[in-house]
Coordinates of all heavy atoms in Angstrom, one line a residue:
F1247 N -15.7 5.1 7.4 CA -14.6 4.1 7.3 C -14.9 2.9 6.5 O -14.0 2.6 5.6 CB -14.3 3.7 8.7 CG -13.2 2.6 8.8 CD1 -11.9 2.9 8.7 CD2 -13.7 1.3 8.9 CE1 -11.0 2.0 8.6 CE2 -12.6 0.2 8.8 CZ -11.3 0.6 8.8
D1248 N -16.1 2.3 6.6 CA -16.4 1.2 5.9 C -16.4 1.4 4.3 O -15.8 0.7 3.6 CB -17.8 0.7 6.2 CG -18.0 0.2 7.7 OD1 -17.0 -0.1 8.2 OD2 -19.1 0.1 8.1
I1249 N -17.0 2.5 3.9 CA -17.0 2.9 2.5 C -15.7 3.2 2.0 O -15.3 2.7 0.9 CB -18.0 3.9 2.2 CG1 -19.5 3.6 2.6 CG2 -18.0 4.4 0.8 CD1 -20.5 4.6 2.7
A1250 N -14.9 4.1 2.7 CA -13.5 4.4 2.2 C -12.6 3.2 2.3 O -11.8 3.0 1.3 CB -13.0 5.5 3.2
F1251 N -12.7 2.3 3.2 CA -11.9 1.2 3.2 C -12.1 0.2 2.0 O -11.2 -0.3 1.3 CB -12.1 0.4 4.5 CG -11.2 -0.9 4.6 CD1 -9.8 -0.8 4.9 CD2 -11.8 -2.1 4.4 CE1 -9.1 -2.0 5.0 CE2 -11.0 -3.3 4.4 CZ -9.7 -3.2 4.8
T1252 N -13.5 -0.1 1.8 CA -13.9 -0.9 0.8 C -13.5 -0.3 -0.6 O -13.0 -1.0 -1.5 CB -15.4 -1.2 0.7 OG1 -15.7 -1.7 2.1 CG2 -15.8 -2.0 -0.3
S1253 N -13.7 1.1 -0.7 CA -13.4 1.5 -2.1 C -11.9 1.6 -2.3 O -11.3 1.4 -3.4 CB -13.9 3.0 -2.2 OG -13.3 3.8 -1.3
T1254 N -11.1 1.8 -1.3 CA -9.7 1.8 -1.4 C -9.1 0.4 -1.7 O -8.3 0.2 -2.7 CB -8.9 2.3 -0.1 OG1 -9.5 3.6 0.2 CG2 -7.5 2.3 -0.2
F1255 N -9.7 -0.6 -1.1 CA -9.3 -2.0 -1.4 C -9.7 -2.4 -2.8 O -8.9 -2.9 -3.5 CB -10.0 -2.9 -0.4 CG -9.7 -4.4 -0.6 CD1 -8.5 -4.9 -0.1 CD2 -10.6 -5.1 -1.3 CE1 -8.2 -6.3 -0.3 CE2 -10.3 -6.4 -1.5 CZ -9.1 -7.0 -1.1
V1256 N -10.9 -2.1 -3.2 CA -11.3 -2.5 -4.5 C -10.7 -1.8 -5.7 O -10.2 -2.4 -6.7 CB -12.9 -2.3 -4.6 CG1 -13.3 -2.3 -6.0 CG2 -13.7 -3.2 -3.8
F1257 N -10.4 -0.5 -5.5 CA -9.7 0.2 -6.6 C -8.2 -0.1 -6.6 O -7.6 0.0 -7.6 CB -9.9 1.7 -6.4 CG -11.3 2.2 -6.8 CD1 -11.8 3.1 -5.9 CD2 -11.9 1.8 -7.9 CE1 -13.1 3.6 -6.2 CE2 -13.1 2.2 -8.1 CZ -13.7 3.1 -7.2
R1258 N -7.7 -0.6 -5.5 CA -6.3 -0.9 -5.4 C -5.9 -2.3 -6.0 O -4.9 -2.5 -6.7 CB -5.8 -0.8 -4.0 CG -4.4 -1.4 -3.7 CD -3.4 -0.3 -4.1 NE -2.1 -0.7 -3.7 CZ -1.0 -1.1 -4.4 NH1 -1.2 -1.0 -5.8 NH2 0.1 -1.5 -3.9
F1259 N -6.7 -3.3 -5.7 CA -6.4 -4.7 -6.1 C -7.3 -5.3 -7.2 O -6.9 -6.2 -7.8 CB -6.6 -5.5 -4.9 CG -5.6 -5.2 -3.7 CD1 -6.0 -4.7 -2.6 CD2 -4.3 -5.5 -3.9 CE1 -5.2 -4.2 -1.6 CE2 -3.3 -5.2 -2.9 CZ -3.8 -4.6 -1.7
I1260 N -8.3 -4.6 -7.6 CA -9.3 -5.2 -8.6 C -9.4 -4.3 -9.8 O -9.8 -3.2 -9.6 CB -10.6 -5.6 -8.0 CG1 -10.5 -6.5 -6.8 CG2 -11.5 -6.3 -9.0 CD1 -11.7 -6.7 -5.9
K1261 N -9.0 -4.9 -10.9 CA -8.9 -4.0 -12.2 C -10.2 -4.2 -12.9 O -10.5 -3.2 -13.7 CB -7.7 -4.5 -13.0 CG -6.4 -4.3 -12.4 CD -6.1 -3.0 -11.8 CE -4.8 -2.8 -11.1 NZ -4.7 -1.7 -10.2
N1262 N -10.9 -5.3 -12.9 CA -12.1 -5.4 -13.6 C -13.2 -4.8 -12.9 O -13.5 -5.0 -11.8 CB -12.5 -7.0 -13.8 CG -13.7 -7.3 -14.6 OD1 -14.6 -6.4 -14.6 ND2 -13.6 -8.3 -15.3
R1263 N -14.0 -3.8 -13.6 CA -15.1 -3.0 -13.1 C -16.1 -3.9 -12.4 O -16.5 -3.6 -11.4 CB -15.6 -2.0 -14.1 CG -15.1 -0.8 -14.2 CD -15.9 0.0 -15.1 NE -14.9 0.3 -16.3 CZ -15.2 1.1 -17.3 NH1 -16.4 1.6 -17.4 NH2 -14.3 1.3 -18.2
Y1264 N -16.6 -4.8 -13.2 CA -17.8 -5.5 -12.8 C -17.4 -6.5 -11.6 O -18.2 -6.6 -10.7 CB -18.4 -6.4 -13.9 CG -18.7 -5.5 -15.1 CD1 -18.0 -5.5 -16.3 CD2 -19.8 -4.7 -14.9 CE1 -18.4 -4.7 -17.4 CE2 -20.2 -3.8 -16.0 CZ -19.5 -3.9 -17.3 OH -19.7 -3.0 -18.2
L1265 N -16.2 -7.1 -11.7 CA -15.7 -7.9 -10.6 C -15.6 -7.0 -9.3 O -15.9 -7.4 -8.2 CB -14.4 -8.6 -10.9 CG -13.9 -9.6 -9.9 CD1 -14.9 -10.6 -9.6 CD2 -12.6 -10.2 -10.4
A1266 N -15.1 -5.8 -9.5 CA -14.9 -4.9 -8.3 C -16.3 -4.4 -7.7 O -16.3 -4.4 -6.5 CB -14.1 -3.6 -8.8
L1267 N -17.2 -4.2 -8.6 CA -18.5 -4.0 -8.1 C -19.1 -5.2 -7.1 O -19.6 -4.9 -6.1 CB -19.5 -3.6 -9.1 CG -20.8 -3.2 -8.8 CD1 -20.8 -1.8 -8.0 CD2 -21.7 -3.0 -10.1
V1268 N -18.9 -6.4 -7.7 CA -19.4 -7.5 -7.0 C -18.7 -7.7 -5.6 O -19.2 -8.0 -4.6 CB -19.4 -8.7 -7.9 CG1 -19.7 -10.0 -7.1 CG2 -20.4 -8.6 -9.1
I1269 N -17.3 -7.7 -5.8 CA -16.6 -8.0 -4.6 C -16.7 -6.8 -3.6 O -16.9 -7.0 -2.4 CB -15.1 -8.1 -5.0 CG1 -14.9 -9.4 -5.6 CG2 -14.2 -8.0 -3.7 CD1 -13.6 -9.7 -6.2
G1270 N -16.8 -5.5 -4.0 CA -17.0 -4.4 -3.1 C -18.3 -4.5 -2.4 O -18.4 -4.3 -1.2
A1271 N -19.4 -4.9 -3.1 CA -20.7 -5.0 -2.4 C -20.7 -6.2 -1.5 O -21.3 -6.1 -0.3 CB -21.8 -5.2 -3.5
S1272 N -20.1 -7.3 -1.9 CA -20.1 -8.4 -0.9 C -19.2 -8.2 0.3 O -19.4 -8.9 1.3 CB -19.8 -9.7 -1.6 OG -18.5 -9.6 -2.3
M1273 N -18.1 -7.4 0.1 CA -17.3 -7.0 1.2 C -17.8 -6.0 2.1 O -17.6 -6.1 3.4 CB -15.9 -6.5 0.5 CG -14.8 -6.3 1.5 SD -13.5 -5.8 0.5 CE -12.8 -4.7 1.7
L1274 N -18.7 -5.1 1.6 CA -19.2 -4.0 2.4 C -20.2 -4.5 3.5 O -20.2 -3.9 4.5 CB -19.9 -3.0 1.5 CG -20.3 -1.6 2.1 CD1 -18.9 -0.9 2.7 CD2 -20.8 -0.8 0.9
V1275 N -21.1 -5.4 3.1 CA -22.1 -5.8 4.0 C -21.5 -6.5 5.3 O -21.9 -6.1 6.4 CB -23.2 -6.7 3.3 CG1 -24.1 -7.5 4.3 CG2 -23.9 -6.1 2.2
P1276 N -20.7 -7.5 5.2 CA -20.0 -8.0 6.4 C -19.3 -7.0 7.2 O -19.2 -7.0 8.5 CB -19.2 -9.2 6.0 CG -19.5 -9.4 4.6 CD -20.2 -8.2 4.1
L1277 N -18.6 -6.0 6.5 CA -17.8 -5.0 7.2 C -18.7 -4.0 8.0 O -18.4 -3.7 9.1 CB -17.1 -4.2 6.1 CG -16.1 -3.2 6.7 CD1 -15.0 -3.8 7.6 CD2 -15.4 -2.4 5.5
I1278 N -19.9 -3.7 7.4 CA -20.9 -2.9 8.0 C -21.4 -3.6 9.4 O -21.5 -3.0 10.5 CB -22.0 -2.5 7.2 CG1 -21.5 -1.4 6.2 CG2 -23.2 -2.0 8.0 CD1 -22.7 -1.2 5.1
L1279 N -21.7 -4.9 9.2 CA -22.2 -5.6 10.4 C -21.2 -5.7 11.5 O -21.5 -5.6 12.6 CB -22.7 -7.0 9.9 CG -23.9 -7.1 9.0 CD1 -24.1 -8.4 8.5 CD2 -25.1 -6.4 9.7
I1280 N -19.9 -5.9 11.0 CA -18.9 -6.0 12.2 C -18.7 -4.6 12.9 O -18.6 -4.6 14.1 CB -17.6 -6.5 11.5 CG1 -17.7 -8.0 11.1 CG2 -16.3 -6.3 12.5 CD1 -16.6 -8.5 10.0
T1281 N -18.5 -3.6 12.1 CA -18.2 -2.3 12.7 C -19.4 -1.7 13.3 O -19.2 -1.1 14.4 CB -17.7 -1.3 11.6 OG1 -18.7 -1.2 10.5 CG2 -16.4 -1.7 11.0
F1282 N -20.6 -2.0 12.9 CA -21.8 -1.5 13.8 C -22.0 -2.3 15.0 O -22.6 -1.8 15.9 CB -23.0 -1.7 12.9 CG -23.3 -0.5 12.0 CD1 -22.2 0.1 11.3 CD2 -24.6 0.1 11.9 CE1 -22.5 1.1 10.5 CE2 -24.8 1.2 11.2 CZ -23.8 1.8 10.4
S1283 N -21.5 -3.5 15.0 CA -21.5 -4.2 16.3 C -20.7 -3.6 17.4 O -21.0 -3.6 18.5 CB -21.0 -5.8 16.1 OG -19.6 -5.8 15.9

Side-chain angles (χ1 to χ4, degrees):
F1247 172 81
D1248 295 343
I1249 296 168
F1251 178 79
T1252 303
S1253 65
T1254 303
F1255 178 82
V1256 166
F1257 289 135
R1258 171 78 169 117
F1259 294 111
I1260 302 168
K1261 302 302 178 203
N1262 184 323
R1263 267 185 244 189
Y1264 303 109
L1265 185 60
L1267 186 64
V1268 169
I1269 290 175
S1272 61
M1273 187 176 145
L1274 192 58
V1275 172
L1277 186 61
I1278 288 170
L1279 293 175
I1280 291 167
T1281 56
F1282 272 45
S1283 72

